[in-house]
Amino acid sequence: MPTETAKAPEFTPIDPATVGGVTGKVLFAGARPQPQRIVMDQDPACTEKQGGKAVFAEDGNVNDNQTLPNAFVYVKTGAEKYAFTAPADPVVLDQEGCMYKPHVLGLMVGQTLKIVSSDPTTHNIHPMPKYNREWNLSQLPGAEAIQQRFRRPEIMVPIKCNQHNWMHAWIGVTSNPFFAVTGRDGTFTLKGLPPGDYTLEAWTASFGTQEQKVTVGAKETKKVEFAFKAL
């Protein structure tokens, strides 16, 4: 008997004339945690690159306006019926002053992660995913960029440096382009959302995650807020 060929999934086209978006803020309720100072004395190249200034861990930071930086906000559900192509441009992760820059970033499945180093010392880049392939590569000063891709969605992939135990970063790998990372003002913007019902998730390294449902109408921009507190 002839075998049946699996049908390719049928995706809904997006009408650019109807898209909207979501803007919002990620807040922190309560007293701001004490920042944790990083000691880099084991590698003089790191302390020299920092110019002797104090350096603090980025996880757990709270902005002066009582908002959270480095919160990863993305569309968790609601965009499955649409097809998206990963951008051709890579997302760059730098190593500067023996810190990952940026600390939290996002990219799409299949998009290139380009890792460079601005430091005069050897680094070791070691992502530790649950659902993607784990790898572990060293990068000498002046070496060519390391380029890798993730094949499955995953929130979040932790990255560490086996040479410098304080170096950590987080990568959100998504199946859609609707994601953002909050900065010093704690705000985010998700653009180009087709009309529909969505579940948003806000992830933080230190205070957990939160979900919020939102309905976006044609050409509508909704405003939402997430409020976290110490665990």
Side-chain angles (χ1 to χ4, degrees), residues 59 70-74 91-94 100-115 125-133 135 146 148-160 168-174 179-181 203 205:
D59 287 344
N70 292 315
F72 187 80
V73 184
Y74 71 105
V91 173
V92 177
L93 179 63
D94 195 3
Y100 285 117
K101 302 292 182 181
H103 182 63
V104 176
L105 63 146
L107 47 69
M108 286 184 63
V109 171
Q111 188 174 6
T112 299
L113 174 66
K114 182 178 180 180
I115 302 169
I125 304 93
H126 185 184
M128 296 171 291
K130 291 182 179 179
Y131 308 115
N132 285 277
R133 178 180 63 86
W135 49 272
I146 295 171
Q148 295 284 332
R149 292 176 178 154
F150 297 93
R151 301 300 179 184
R152 297 179 180 87
E154 186 166 347
I155 309 295
M156 303 283 286
V157 177
I159 293 182
K160 69 176 183 178
H168 297 279
W170 301 90
I171 296 180
V173 185
T174 66
F179 58 85
V181 179
W203 170 96

Side-chain angles (χ1 to χ4, degrees), residues 6-27:
K7 291 184 178 180
E10 295 183 2
F11 294 104
T12 302
I14 296 176
D15 181 358
T18 65
V19 299
V22 176
T23 64
K25 185 175 290 187
V26 181
L27 303 164

